[in-house]
Amino acid sequence: MSDYLIRQYDEVRESVAVAAAKAGRSPDEVRLIAVSKTFPAADIAALYAHGHRLFGESKIQELETKAVALPADVEWHLIGHLQSNKAAKALQYASCIHTVDGLRLLERLDRLAGESGRTADFLLELNLSGEMTKFGLAADEARRLAAAAAACRHLKFRGLMTMAPYEASEAELHRLFGGLRELRDLMENDCGLKLPELSMGMSGDYRIAVAEGATLVRIGTAIFGKRDYS
Ligand SMILES: *Cc1c(COP(=O)(O)O)cnc(C)c1O
């Protein structure tokens, strides 16, 4: 089981590096987030023993359970929707929150970070495909939020995150991921802040995301296998 996991992981890492090289980028520019949601702490421990440190979780409760069970130098990113009543827990366990999608959540996180003496990086989550079912900001909403994001005193605004629809064609994926990069460039200009991180690309589309400039790819299925939500 663990051999299989390690083999899958090594293949994904290699494949991310190949995609980076093809795009004329250094493999170091793309960090792999192993998305461990629904998988047991033992799987995370196996990858940890193999040298991997960066994991992504979607739910606060699951993140907390795993974070307390695993070594303190695991780096956790929160990649799922964050309800504001769970903001304090998010700050307690996540070093980066990918899913900030409104002013109220942003202000609450910054205030709680100040009160608790914690800090975290965060990304604004964009919904560029206009799908009604997903969370995230439209491009114009994100641009309006940029000044407030840059003005946070305890959190660091580091970039943008998006998810592409599963059924998107290759051409659409290039358009969406390239669009996130262009929006990032505009927002850097708007707020005079470097926004180095582009969190985009999952198991089915990370090669295209890397070609379009992803710095964080969030990969679950291709490493851990199919998720069972039952
Ligand atoms: C579950 C999840 C992923 C991982 O998706 P896979 O297709 O399993 O690689 C990536 N990003 C987000 C936001 C997720 O919720």
Side-chain angles (χ1 to χ4, degrees):
M1 177 60 215
S2 151
D3 283 357
Y4 168 80
L5 180 59
I6 299 298
R7 203 168 59 237
Q8 300 269 82
Y9 169 82
D10 284 343
E11 277 178 22
V12 168
R13 271 201 77 103
E14 176 61 22
S15 163
V16 169
V18 167
K22 267 193 187 161
R25 307 177 60 202
S26 157
D28 305 340
E29 291 173 35
V30 187
R31 295 185 75 203
L32 171 59
I33 303 174
V35 175
S36 44
K37 65 187 182 197
T38 78
F39 289 95
D43 284 354
I44 300 171
L47 290 182
Y48 181 92
H50 190 55
H52 193 76
R53 293 292 178 270
L54 177 55
F55 294 88
E57 288 286 339
S58 284
K59 296 195 171 140
I60 294 292
Q61 184 58 55
E62 189 175 349
L63 168 59
E64 178 171 44
T65 305
K66 288 173 176 173
V68 298
L70 286 149
D73 65 341
V74 171
E75 187 183 344
W76 299 102
H77 284 199
L78 181 70
I79 64 169
H81 181 66
L82 178 58
Q83 291 173 307
S84 62
N85 63 342
K86 304 211 169 114
K89 280 261 160 87
L91 289 169
Q92 189 173 349
Y93 296 108
S95 64
C96 182
I97 298 168
H98 289 225
T99 47
V100 173
D101 62 356
L103 184 60
R104 277 194 54 217
L105 177 61
L106 181 66
E107 289 179 341
R108 184 175 167 84
L109 281 167
D110 198 42
R111 177 171 57 75
L112 289 169
E115 286 169 11
S116 61
R118 293 179 195 282
T119 181
D121 292 343
F122 74 90
L123 311 176
L124 292 182
E125 179 177 3
L126 269 293
N127 179 348
L128 295 177
S129 64
E131 277 189 310
M132 296 306 290
T133 52
K134 282 195 189 126
F135 298 106
L137 301 153
D140 58 330
E141 292 174 318
R143 287 186 76 180
R144 282 199 297 274
L145 207 56
C152 281
R153 298 177 53 208
H154 307 285
L155 301 179
K156 280 201 219 84
F157 180 26
R158 297 283 293 163
L160 306 180
M161 177 272 210
T162 201
M163 255 172 112
Y166 286 104
E167 68 279 10
S169 67
E170 271 198 32
E172 273 173 316
L173 290 169
H174 277 287
R175 192 176 56 75
L176 285 171
F177 294 146
L180 193 73
R181 186 191 62 241
E182 285 164 13
L183 179 62
R184 183 275 308 275
D185 295 346
L186 283 175
M187 288 175 65
E188 280 189 335
N189 259 328
D190 288 349
C191 66
L193 200 67
K194 275 276 163 211
L195 300 173
E197 303 291 1
L198 289 174
S199 168
M200 54 191 194
M202 304 169 39
S203 292
D205 56 22
Y206 67 86
R207 293 174 186 84
I208 294 173
V210 168
E212 293 292 348
T215 61
L216 292 163
V217 289
R218 311 178 307 266
I219 300 182
T221 310
I223 296 173
F224 295 95
K226 245 177 98 94
R227 282 182 293 277
D228 180 0
Y229 286 100
S230 62

